Amino acid sequence: MNPDSPDIQQLKDGYLLAALSHSEFEDVMAHASVRTLAPGEGVFDQGDLCTHFFFVLAGIVKLGRIAPSGEEKVMDLVRPRHYFAEAAMFLGGRYPVYACALEATRLVALDNAHFLRLLRGNGDLCIRLLSTLSQRMHGLVNEIDNLTLHSGAERLIGYLLEQLPEGAVPASVWLNVPKHVIASRLGIQPETLSRILAKLRAERLIDVHEGMIVLNDVAALRRFS
Amino acid sequence: MNPDSPDIQQLKDGYLLAALSHSEFEDVMAHASVRTLAPGEGVFDQGDLCTHFFFVLAGIVKLGRIAPSGEEKVMDLVRPRHYFAEAAMFLGGRYPVYACALEATRLVALDNAHFLRLLRGNGDLCIRLLSTLSQRMHGLVNEIDNLTLHSGAERLIGYLLEQLPEGAVPASVWLNVPKHVIASRLGIQPETLSRILAKLRAERLIDVHEGMIVLNDVAALRRFS
DNA sequence: CGGCAGTTTGAGCACGATCAAGCACAGTGG
DNA sequence: CCACTGTGCTTGATCGTGCTCAAACTGCCG
């Protein structure tokens, strides 16, 4: 792997690995590899032995869970510059979710065993990882009170506002993923999502063109959630 | 604080601090204190500056969240031998939940700043804490697919089976907390909880006496969830 | 052109929330 | 001793959100 590629620069600049010395970073790179995935291609299955964690360079990765009953739930959609499966490293062996690419995707796979060894010797890196996991936990806690306290419409609005890039004019969100995936991510059925979108469109709060959602009145939407 | 008390032994035997040397443990104890709480007394409020994390020696602590809209949700009920608020240490300042005792409670308060200093020098302790947080995250993920995939009745049954002490005959759970707290913990209304209990009782799956719930047919209940 | 996946729309239904009333029990004060 | 009050729990009636089943519509690819 070329250490000067923009990919690697992206990884190096991210929060987690910024604590590393030059030689430590080289060391991590020596045990990392870049994977290129076609749309729909899997990264790992739920229950697989977990050997790596990942950083997304480009594309979108879906993290999903299949309940014993067969029902499926999208847990997260991971976009570029984010890590995933880094908590599974400590969970004792198997991935609790499956991961697959939703579109053409490039990611870095980092070796768990090697990274764990590095962690032992680097308190700063440890603290950063602890901080990362804490933030992720906080996100999950928010998710839980979203699910219990808010309606489907409120969750959708909250999600859209989260995805909204800073200072985009007009304020708009590019979904990039099939709507039924968004629906599962929000814990609702595709039909319900469709109805909510129709209702918001009727109230002139949003416009929908292809996969693009334009938020006409961000202030009003914010008041909603 | 007497280092030979059974309280301290309990703390020392727990998973998290088992990695410490004798002198390190003494060091932690030097910055820890035992607090005794009356029923209903608060430990900290949502939004308080976070300075300590805690280990429950006896009693029950309720972790709750108040949404901006004023709605309230019980996030967790912490029982003896468990930690809480150890993730907030890395979250940058303020507790995302409030904590209060539901009955007479005794807990150990551990100093964040001091513990962080200790973490930097002890890779093993770091890894243990990472592992603890990962498990907690996994619990939250389970919680989420409970909320999205299962009905109120299934969540209640799941909760009861979780609380069921090993090898208790007859299989029974002592709630120890008002039912409206359980309801909030499960994300349902008190009335709904009451109805579910009535239905399960009608089907002879459980019996309810005071705060005691007897599970008549654990196998059948397990099949439910 | 026909098949197929994703999406939309419609109709009916179920779960759980809300509003409301009733019951049991404890504490308080006349 | 008995009203009076407050709290926690239960039960009933009603209503709304969102799920299910079903049908129609879209764009896409063979």
Side-chain angles (χ1 to χ4, degrees):
Chain A
M1 194 164 46
N2 174 4
D4 296 325
S5 74
D7 285 356
I8 302 313
Q9 200 54 47
Q10 209 186 127
L11 183 59
K12 190 172 186 173
D13 288 348
Y15 172 74
L16 187 58
L17 300 186
L20 296 184
S21 70
H22 184 70
S23 70
E24 281 174 325
F25 186 76
E26 299 273 295
D27 192 25
V28 168
M29 285 303 94
H31 292 79
S33 59
V34 173
R35 286 198 211 167
T36 302
L37 300 163
E41 196 178 342
V43 183
F44 52 77
D45 283 335
Q46 184 170 331
D48 275 1
L49 279 172
C50 88
T51 55
H52 295 80
F53 68 102
F54 304 87
F55 177 81
V56 178
L57 296 166
I60 298 183
V61 173
K62 176 175 83 170
L63 301 184
R65 249 168 95 84
I66 301 179
S69 54
E71 293 156 301
E72 198 168 345
K73 166 86 174 52
V74 175
M75 298 304 301
D76 210 356
L77 298 169
V78 189
R79 289 163 196 271
R81 306 183 154 267
H82 291 271
Y83 290 89
F84 64 95
E86 80 280 22
M89 186 165 25
F90 307 96
L91 228 49
R94 292 175 184 281
Y95 294 111
V97 299
Y98 68 88
C100 67
L102 281 179
E103 53 183 58
T105 294
R106 227 169 49 255
L107 43 78
V108 183
L110 297 122
D111 184 77
N112 281 348
H114 177 258
F115 198 79
L116 277 170
R117 244 172 288 133
L118 189 64
L119 273 179
R120 278 181 197 281
N122 188 326
D124 215 38
L125 182 59
C126 263
I127 305 281
R128 275 167 192 265
L129 188 49
L130 280 164
S131 173
T132 302
L133 293 194
S134 303
Q135 266 163 313
R136 189 146 300 192
M137 271 183 67
H138 194 216
L140 290 174
V141 167
N142 276 327
E143 191 74 18
I144 286 178
D145 65 37
N146 264 336
L147 286 169
T148 53
L149 266 32
H150 302 322
S151 71
E154 292 170 310
R155 294 208 294 278
L156 170 62
I157 292 173
Y159 181 77
L160 290 177
L161 292 173
E162 246 173 56
Q163 302 300 312
L164 189 63
E166 292 299 316
V169 178
S172 55
V173 177
W174 195 255
L175 290 184
N176 269 327
V177 290
K179 289 189 183 162
H180 65 90
V181 173
I182 300 283
S184 175
R185 169 62 243 273
L186 295 172
I188 57 182
Q189 298 302 118
E191 295 97 323
T192 305
L193 174 59
S194 182
R195 282 180 237 275
I196 294 172
L197 285 172
K199 191 162 62 89
L200 293 177
R201 203 149 28 104
E203 294 171 11
R204 310 247 162 250
L205 290 169
I206 63 170
D207 279 316
V208 183
H209 304 106
E210 313 290 314
M212 168 80 98
I213 297 186
V214 181
L215 296 94
N216 291 326
D217 188 346
V218 175
L221 289 171
R222 251 182 241 288
R223 244 173 289 128
F224 242 92
S225 66
Chain B
M1 194 163 44
N2 173 6
D4 296 325
S5 73
D7 285 355
I8 301 315
Q9 200 54 46
Q10 209 184 128
L11 183 59
K12 190 172 187 172
D13 288 347
Y15 172 74
L16 187 58
L17 299 187
L20 296 184
S21 70
H22 184 70
S23 71
E24 281 174 326
F25 187 76
E26 299 273 295
D27 193 25
V28 168
M29 285 303 93
H31 292 78
S33 59
V34 173
R35 285 200 210 166
T36 302
L37 300 164
E41 196 176 342
V43 182
F44 52 76
D45 283 336
Q46 185 170 331
D48 276 2
L49 279 172
C50 88
T51 55
H52 295 79
F53 68 102
F54 303 87
F55 178 81
V56 179
L57 296 167
I60 298 184
V61 173
K62 175 175 80 170
L63 301 184
R65 246 169 98 83
I66 300 179
S69 55
E71 294 154 301
E72 199 169 344
K73 165 87 173 54
V74 174
M75 299 302 302
D76 209 357
L77 299 168
V78 189
R79 290 164 195 270
R81 305 184 155 267
H82 291 272
Y83 289 90
F84 65 94
E86 80 280 24
M89 187 163 25
F90 307 96
L91 227 50
R94 293 176 184 278
Y95 294 110
V97 298
Y98 70 86
C100 68
L102 281 179
E103 54 183 56
T105 294
R106 227 168 50 254
L107 43 78
V108 183
L110 297 122
D111 185 77
N112 280 349
H114 176 258
F115 198 78
L116 277 171
R117 245 173 287 135
L118 188 63
L119 273 180
R120 278 181 198 280
N122 187 327
D124 215 38
L125 181 60
C126 262
I127 306 279
R128 274 165 194 266
L129 188 50
L130 281 164
S131 173
T132 302
L133 293 194
S134 302
Q135 266 164 311
R136 189 148 299 193
M137 272 183 66
H138 194 214
L140 290 174
V141 167
N142 276 327
E143 192 74 18
I144 288 177
D145 63 37
N146 262 336
L147 286 169
T148 53
L149 266 31
H150 302 322
S151 71
E154 292 169 310
R155 295 209 294 279
L156 170 61
I157 292 172
Y159 181 76
L160 290 176
L161 291 175
E162 247 174 55
Q163 302 300 313
L164 189 64
E166 293 297 316
V169 176
S172 55
V173 176
W174 194 254
L175 291 183
N176 269 329
V177 290
K179 289 189 181 162
H180 66 87
V181 173
I182 299 285
S184 175
R185 169 61 242 273
L186 295 173
I188 58 181
Q189 297 301 313
E191 295 96 324
T192 305
L193 174 60
S194 183
R195 280 179 239 275
I196 293 172
L197 285 172
K199 192 163 60 87
L200 292 178
R201 202 148 30 103
E203 293 171 13
R204 311 247 163 251
L205 289 170
I206 63 169
D207 280 315
V208 183
H209 304 107
E210 312 290 316
M212 169 79 98
I213 298 186
V214 180
L215 295 89
N216 291 327
D217 189 345
V218 175
L221 290 171
R222 250 182 241 287
R223 243 172 290 128
F224 241 92
S225 66

